[in-house]
Amino acid sequence: MELIYILTVIITMALVLFLIKKYHLTKYQVMIFILLVLFWSSVIVVRAYRKSYAGNPIDKGGLALSAAAAATIASGYGFISIFARFSIFYLSDLFHSRKLMIGLGLVIIGLTSYWVFIDPNYTSLLMSSLALGIGASMLSLFNVFFAQTFTPKQAMMSVSILSVAPLLAEFIMSAFQADYTIVTQENYSMLWLLSAGLAVISLIFLAFVKDNKEPGRVMTKASLKSVLSNKNIYFFGLIAVLVSLIKFSTSGSNIITYFQSDIINMNSTMVAYSDFMFSVSQLVAGILAGLTISRRIGLKNTLLLGVVLGIVFTVILLISHNDWMLFLTSLLSGFGYGLTYNSLIGLTLQSVDVKLREMNMAIFQTFFAIGIFYGDYMYKMILSFIGNVSELQMYNSVFWVILFLSVVLLLFTAFGINYDERNNSHELNHSV
């Protein structure tokens, strides 16, 4: 394990130095990048394990809470995001400060993570899940924060560079996750202590980062009215709900718990790095979606390709219980989601005027958060519907529902969007 830590440090430093030299990043840009790595580390180190900690038996380091209770804890992440994503944009605009919102997020994450460490129970884990949802809602704010340091023509480049930061955080934290979730150690709580410590470190680092929020307001009643009057926001919002519901029900804490179950019985190192595998392929797909794939086949077809890859992954979940097969196909799942999410963002942003994009994104992210909530809450809903069944039957029921929704998403996208690639214009079919 010590070798893994050493390799992690070396690879991390090499990647950061490469980015600095490759893109000639300024000291200020590097500070924002490092801040996001620290910030996201405090979230990601525990995000995928909140359901496992709650529901796993005591001999596997868990709290042995009911499956319904574990699902409720997991769904708190998405539930709070429904309200937080728009509110964070609005409040940062109102107080002319992005640092204030990031700082508040770190305080909430730090306090709730420490609460779980000293007193792990249903309430503390639920509060921690809510705090993580607030933290995840800050990612879009970081994108704006970082993009402000580049010229308008470099906006896409800024997004690509900053997208490496969360991946880097997940890679660094994977080593700790693998170490602290070995069954014989039974110390999930150490992950939450690490989360609290990282939140404190991030707060200290934040104090040295200058705020670059401009004084003018962009989140106004006029912009809200204009965005809400555009029918595209509702169409793409509905697609966002389906995309995020499918993604979060078959990744993160839900898929980690499935991999740890007696059905799959994947070892702790593979479990820890499966989330990283997903993120790596998501990042690669996200970059390719913008630079090559969408240019060759178009944004709509890129979105459809991503949905198809997601369907293939769901079918594999239904027919295979081989740990290596599922570990490797996490790459397929991440790649499909990377194509889907990035092309969907491109389609929805291009459907509005540039001046309305911040408001449009705030509303779009609210729709997206609804899907996150139901992606986690679906497990509790299905348990309530099918009653007391085996663990395998429960997971298969979820995967069949996801397969059905994925096919609906595929048809809805294929026949609902008419997109002119040359003129960047949208026409929605009323038949869908």
Side-chain angles (χ1 to χ4, degrees):
M1 188 56 68
E2 288 76 12
L3 179 61
I4 292 178
Y5 286 135
I6 294 171
L7 288 174
T8 299
V9 171
I10 293 173
I11 294 172
T12 300
M13 292 179 65
L15 183 55
V16 172
L17 288 173
F18 170 77
L19 288 172
I20 292 172
K21 291 184 177 180
K22 172 74 175 177
Y23 297 103
H24 307 289
L25 300 182
T26 66
K27 180 181 177 182
Y28 183 55
Q29 290 168 337
V30 172
M31 289 182 73
I32 297 175
F33 183 90
I34 294 174
L35 176 63
L36 179 54
V37 172
L38 291 170
F39 180 94
W40 193 241
S41 293
S42 71
V43 174
I44 203 65
V45 71
V46 294
R47 187 182 70 167
Y49 287 91
R50 62 195 192 280
K51 189 175 182 181
S52 301
Y53 195 11
N56 278 354
I58 294 174
D59 63 345
K60 289 188 176 181
L63 300 179
L65 300 179
S66 69
T72 300
I73 289 170
S75 64
Y77 176 90
F79 177 76
I80 196 66
S81 297
I82 296 173
F83 308 98
R85 296 197 175 208
F86 185 91
S87 300
I88 287 168
F89 270 102
Y90 180 79
L91 291 174
S92 68
D93 194 52
L94 179 64
F95 294 109
H96 308 297
S97 175
R98 298 186 182 110
K99 280 184 62 174
L100 174 63
M101 302 311 300
I102 294 170
L104 286 174
L106 285 169
V107 169
I108 295 170
I109 292 168
L111 290 176
T112 54
S113 291
Y114 187 68
W115 183 7
V116 172
F117 172 70
I118 61 174
D119 185 20
N121 56 52
Y122 173 83
T123 303
S124 60
L125 275 173
L126 178 59
M127 292 301 104
S128 175
S129 187
L130 293 172
L132 296 176
I134 293 173
S137 300
M138 300 280 179
L139 280 182
S140 296
L141 196 65
F142 268 100
N143 277 319
V144 179
F145 197 0
F146 195 62
Q148 289 284 110
T149 65
F150 290 83
T151 65
K153 291 183 179 181
Q154 295 175 314
M156 189 62 198
M157 185 177 73
S158 74
V159 173
S160 298
I161 296 171
L162 198 65
S163 65
V164 177
L167 172 65
L168 205 54
E170 294 188 29
F171 175 66
I172 296 168
M173 291 302 108
S174 292
F176 293 96
Q177 289 169 332
D179 193 21
Y180 290 140
T181 56
I182 297 173
V183 174
T184 54
Q185 292 184 343
E186 301 181 10
N187 55 1
Y188 278 109
S189 62
M190 287 301 296
L191 291 177
W192 268 262
L193 179 61
L194 180 57
S195 172
L198 287 165
V200 172
I201 294 171
S202 300
L203 270 172
I204 296 171
F205 193 84
L206 177 65
F208 296 94
V209 180
K210 190 192 307 181
D211 206 331
N212 63 0
K213 173 68 177 174
E214 296 178 356
R217 295 288 304 277
V218 294
M219 304 285 286
T220 62
K221 289 183 179 180
S223 62
L224 176 61
K225 183 178 179 180
S226 181
V227 170
L228 292 178
S229 64
N230 185 345
K231 64 181 179 181
N232 285 327
I233 189 65
Y234 304 104
F235 180 82
F236 290 119
L238 181 56
I239 293 180
V241 171
L242 289 173
V243 167
S244 58
L245 187 156
I246 292 165
K247 186 266 183 181
F248 280 87
S249 60
T250 55
S251 67
S253 64
N254 290 311
I255 209 67
I256 288 293
T257 305
Y258 179 57
F259 287 168
Q260 290 179 321
S261 70
D262 292 333
I263 303 168
I264 309 301
N265 199 26
M266 189 179 289
N267 71 64
S268 61
T269 301
M270 289 172 68
V271 170
Y273 281 94
S274 65
D275 212 28
F276 173 70
M277 294 271 284
F278 179 97
S279 299
V280 168
S281 56
Q282 179 188 337
L283 174 64
V284 172
I287 294 172
L288 292 179
L291 298 181
T292 60
I293 298 178
S294 64
R295 291 184 178 182
R296 294 191 176 190
I297 66 175
L299 277 174
K300 176 184 173 179
N301 289 331
T302 303
L303 175 57
L304 289 171
L305 176 60
V307 175
V308 169
L309 292 178
I311 290 174
V312 173
F313 176 68
T314 306
V315 171
I316 292 173
L317 287 175
L318 282 165
I319 64 176
S320 176
H321 297 151
N322 181 273
D323 56 350
W324 274 104
M325 169 70 79
L326 295 174
F327 177 75
L328 293 175
T329 50
S330 293
L331 288 169
L332 181 68
S333 177
F335 196 86
Y337 178 68
L339 294 179
T340 302
Y341 182 76
N342 282 51
S343 55
L344 180 58
I345 289 291
L347 284 166
T348 190
L349 285 179
Q350 290 181 12
S351 68
V352 297
D353 187 82
V354 174
K355 295 180 180 179
L356 298 173
R357 285 183 176 178
E358 191 162 348
M359 177 63 78
N360 182 79
M361 185 50 56
I363 296 173
F364 174 84
Q365 289 293 334
T366 300
F367 279 108
F368 195 80
I370 293 173
I372 296 175
F373 168 68
Y374 280 105
D376 289 321
Y377 197 70
M378 176 181 291
Y379 286 79
K380 183 175 181 178
M381 292 170 59
I382 288 179
L383 277 173
S384 300
F385 181 74
I386 63 179
N388 189 20
V389 296
S390 70
E391 194 173 31
L392 177 59
Q393 288 174 309
M394 187 269 288
Y395 277 110
N396 279 344
S397 297
V398 171
F399 297 152
W400 275 113
V401 171
I402 293 304
L403 183 59
F404 171 76
L405 291 176
S406 298
V407 173
V408 170
L409 173 61
L410 183 69
L411 296 174
F412 195 69
T413 303
F415 298 105
I417 301 177
N418 286 328
Y419 178 61
D420 187 340
E421 297 287 345
R422 293 182 179 179
N423 299 319
N424 291 341
S425 63
H426 298 262
E427 180 182 341
L428 308 183
N429 288 336
H430 296 290
S431 60
V432 177

